Amino acid sequence: MKFFIDTANLDQIREAQELGVLDGVTTNPSLMAKEGITGRNNILKHYVDICNIVDGDVSAEVIATDLKGMIKEGEELADLHEQIVVKIPMIRDGVKALKYFSDKGIRTNCTLVFSPGQALLAAKAGANYVSPFIGRLDDISTDGLSLIAEIRLIYDNYQIETQILAASIRHTMHIVECAKLGSDVMTGPLSSIEGLLKHPLTDIGLAKFLADYKKGN
Ligand code: E4P
């Protein structure tokens, strides 16, 4: 499973990259705003800065919600850097935009996916990634992980190559469960990735090894 970090914070992206396990980055307009990145030029520059830190794919989201606007913005984003993947919302014109970009060889990530039907439609339109938001489903008392399992089943039934990018990951166990369900990619905050490191028995075991070593040296 590929690991993406879900942030526009350059320090956190660098930290994940230095850990050596980072395969890409996802951003969205809220994450950009959280970092205080505003204005079209600053936003575009920020995407390039992110691409220069990581080796893998960087999802950059369009703001337009009409086909013409999404095409204009998406082409501008794709021209920025070869690592950019254009993020398109799961709306009617978004589906048309996915097909347009797919035909042009521009890679896409269909975002705001909350049902297996939406994931099937995104794949039919040629999306490279589909982003089911599992945390937001959990937030409304719906099992987000079940959605990953349903999409996996559908995609496997037809050997669909669209990658399932489990999004809205909130904690470490979401990552583990997504891996068990066969998600191709997960995107989460740095804390969720770092949580994979931790086990009290590792700390206790290491302390004992070091103490025993000291006794003999
Ligand atoms: C996905 O690409 C989104 O940026 C993200 O995962 C949304 O997560 P949230 O529900 O924690 O905002």
Side-chain angles (χ1 to χ4, degrees):
M1 184 168 69
K2 290 187 208 159
F3 279 20
F4 287 3
I5 189 168
D6 195 30
T7 184
N9 183 289
L10 299 184
D11 289 335
Q12 290 187 15
I13 294 169
R14 270 189 214 99
E15 211 165 320
Q17 174 70 17
E18 281 166 17
L19 195 57
V21 298
L22 194 62
D23 299 300
V25 178
T26 52
T27 62
N28 64 39
S30 306
L31 292 170
M32 293 297 255
K34 191 173 162 196
E35 298 306 317
I37 315 296
T38 55
R40 197 66 193 153
N41 288 343
N42 291 332
I43 290 173
L44 296 182
K45 181 187 171 302
H46 202 72
Y47 285 136
V48 175
D49 289 344
I50 293 174
C51 290
N52 288 333
I53 297 173
V54 295
D55 299 324
D57 290 346
V58 175
S59 286
E61 189 159 342
V62 297
I63 304 300
T65 53
D66 64 297
L67 180 60
K68 206 173 149 200
M70 280 191 262
I71 288 174
K72 184 171 176 287
E73 265 184 60
E75 287 181 338
E76 185 179 25
L77 291 168
D79 279 347
L80 280 179
H81 200 285
E82 61 187 6
Q83 286 165 242
I84 293 284
V85 174
V86 181
K87 209 170 173 188
I88 304 282
M90 173 36 80
I91 55 176
R92 183 177 293 268
D93 273 12
V95 175
K96 295 178 191 172
L98 290 171
K99 175 73 176 126
Y100 172 87
F101 287 125
S102 167
D103 288 345
K104 282 201 77 177
I106 291 176
R107 293 178 308 138
T108 54
N109 171 2
C110 182
T111 190
L112 291 167
V113 165
F114 293 94
S115 77
Q118 289 179 322
L120 180 58
L121 195 58
K124 287 286 290 177
N128 297 83
Y129 295 99
V130 67
S131 288
F133 277 35
I134 63 174
R136 291 192 194 186
L137 283 169
D138 289 354
D139 288 345
I140 58 159
S141 304
T142 306
D143 181 12
L145 288 166
S146 301
L147 177 57
I148 303 294
E150 287 176 294
I151 300 172
R152 182 75 284 155
L153 175 68
I154 292 169
Y155 282 9
D156 287 352
N157 279 348
Y158 299 98
Q159 291 84 47
I160 288 171
E161 286 179 7
T162 301
Q163 295 188 56
I164 302 173
L165 196 173
S168 189
I169 292 267
R170 297 284 167 72
H171 51 73
T172 301
M173 281 313 289
H174 268 158
I175 301 179
V176 175
E177 292 302 325
C178 283
K180 283 157 70 175
L181 293 169
S183 189
D184 300 290
V185 192
M186 77 80 201
T187 189
L190 181 61
S191 59
S192 66
I193 298 172
E194 288 178 335
L196 293 166
L197 263 171
K198 296 173 192 159
H199 198 290
L201 290 179
T202 304
D203 299 336
I204 293 167
L206 183 60
K208 173 121 178 50
F209 285 155
L210 295 180
D212 288 347
Y213 173 81
K214 264 192 194 159
K215 279 185 214 158
N217 290 279

